[in-house]
Amino acid sequence: MNIRAKIFGGQSRAEQPILKAKMPKGTKSDDLQSVAVPREESRRANSRGTDRHRLTAETVELSHEGTRHQVTLVNLSGGGAMISGQIAAKLWDRVDLHLGEHGTIECAVRWIRGDRIGLEFAHETQLDCSDDQRAAVLRDAISRSFPDMDFVAATDQPAGAARQEPGDEQRRAPRHPLIWSGTLYHDYQTSTVRVRNISATGAMLECREPVRVGAEPLLELGPAVSVSGTVTWAVGDQVGLRFHSEFDMALLGRSSPAVAPSEWVRPAYLNRVDALDSPWDPRWQRLSVPELKQELEGFLKR
């Protein structure tokens, strides 16, 4: 463009702007998705703020009223799972979800929509051992971890009233409120894990970081309690661990458990479901720590 001719006039020329208008590069003022953000490398992990793992054609077993069923595991979270299958289950039914070796977890049916069923995992760590061993571990853990607690029995029932017996779908042993956690050392990583269940031969852990099947990690449950094993399976954030040597369940009482929350925290995918309060306390009689201590003292005197 001839700036002098533009200012002082001159030969007739087609009108041209002094500055060319900027051409849009595909962005829109009201659409953040139209702004391209260059990345130097591809994503290495799922950074979405979600609490579930969507799975593809993952088949597992579900035990309901003494019968095992093959079901499809749709997704899995720290609080529960969604399954798909033809099962005549009702709300609040007790079921066992089998994810693999040492991977049986107690669940309650929370909601049903067509052939899809929402399950809530048990809060407490399940101890797979005899009643005597379980009582000894729980009593030792309570005396070590809660020495200053004032153990006063609850008086919900009138004096002399008979204690309500658990139903057929309730466990014989009283449900305790204790949750064990630990540290898993695997593949040059350190992860905090939650112990879903544990026995002398293996355990089921909940871990936010991915754990490689075939890895041989060390599970540390306290300053003086550790056990090594092999990862036999991993589904979502749940991991199955087979111990290399028999684990002495009495050692579990030396580690410090936490107390399960009184209310269930609903996973994100259930936010739109109108569900009642958690069934664990009123339906299956999960004891408080003081009630559990009193129950165990009576159990050991029998």
Side-chain angles (χ1 to χ4, degrees):
M1 167 189 307
N2 190 331
I3 300 295
R4 184 180 181 83
K6 187 73 175 175
I7 297 174
F8 297 102
Q11 296 180 345
S12 176
R13 293 172 175 262
E15 290 296 328
Q16 297 180 356
I18 296 178
L19 298 177
K20 293 184 178 180
K22 292 184 178 180
M23 299 298 293
K25 296 182 179 180
T27 60
K28 300 177 181 179
S29 60
D30 59 346
D31 187 3
L32 292 178
Q33 295 182 354
S34 66
V35 181
V37 180
R39 298 183 181 274
E40 297 180 357
E41 56 181 332
S42 60
R43 293 182 185 271
R44 294 186 178 181
N46 182 7
S47 58
R48 291 189 182 127
T50 180
D51 62 351
R52 66 177 182 267
H53 297 266
R54 291 193 177 274
L55 307 169
T56 304
E58 186 78 33
T59 302
V60 296
E61 286 190 339
L62 185 81
S63 295
H64 176 242
E65 296 182 347
T67 304
R68 286 206 176 198
H69 305 268
Q70 295 286 332
V71 298
T72 300
L73 192 59
V74 180
N75 61 44
L76 191 68
S77 73
M82 181 193 299
I83 63 170
S84 176
Q86 299 298 327
I87 302 175
K90 303 182 296 294
L91 289 178
W92 319 127
D93 277 359
R94 174 195 178 278
V95 297
D96 288 325
L97 186 64
H98 309 280
L99 300 177
E101 184 182 7
H102 307 297
T104 299
I105 183 167
E106 187 180 10
C107 311
V109 175
R110 294 288 290 157
W111 56 267
I112 302 173
R113 285 187 175 179
D115 65 345
R116 296 203 168 185
I117 300 175
L119 304 177
E120 176 191 353
F121 291 162
H123 295 286
E124 67 278 0
T125 299
Q126 296 173 252
L127 309 180
D128 188 4
C129 55
S130 66
D131 290 345
D132 290 339
Q133 285 181 308
R134 183 184 298 108
V137 169
L138 294 175
R139 191 168 187 269
D140 193 16
I142 290 174
S143 61
R144 291 174 182 269
S145 301
F146 310 97
D148 300 329
M149 180 171 288
D150 185 16
F151 292 102
V152 179
T155 57
D156 294 337
Q157 297 180 352
R163 184 182 180 88
Q164 182 181 359
E165 293 297 328
D168 293 338
E169 60 185 24
Q170 294 175 330
R171 286 189 174 237
R172 209 174 120 201
R175 300 178 60 83
H176 65 82
L178 304 183
I179 298 176
W180 272 269
S181 60
T183 304
L184 192 70
Y185 300 95
H186 61 105
D187 291 335
Y188 306 102
Q189 298 183 63
T190 301
S191 303
T192 300
V193 298
R194 174 176 178 171
V195 182
R196 282 292 181 184
N197 63 50
I198 186 169
S199 67
T201 57
M204 176 181 175
L205 312 175
E206 179 186 319
C207 181
R208 292 181 178 273
E209 289 77 24
V211 181
R212 178 177 56 88
V213 175
E216 297 186 346
L218 178 70
L219 174 62
E220 187 178 89
L221 299 173
V225 182
S226 61
V227 58
S228 61
T230 300
V231 177
T232 56
W233 58 269
V235 180
D237 55 3
Q238 309 297 318
V239 178
L241 186 64
R242 182 197 303 136
F243 297 151
H244 290 162
S245 58
E246 186 171 336
F247 176 67
D248 184 3
M249 291 290 290
L251 297 176
L252 194 62
R254 301 180 185 177
S255 58
S256 299
V259 179
S262 58
E263 294 183 358
W264 175 61
V265 179
R266 182 179 300 157
Y269 64 86
L270 293 185
N271 284 341
R272 297 182 181 180
V273 176
D274 295 329
L276 300 177
D277 292 337
S278 173
W280 295 99
D281 287 340
R283 182 66 182 257
W284 289 356
Q285 297 180 341
R286 192 183 72 178
L287 304 179
S288 65
V289 175
E291 291 173 330
L292 178 62
K293 184 174 186 292
Q294 184 191 41
E295 183 78 16
L296 292 175
E297 288 178 343
F299 177 86
L300 295 176
K301 292 176 182 178
R302 290 199 292 266

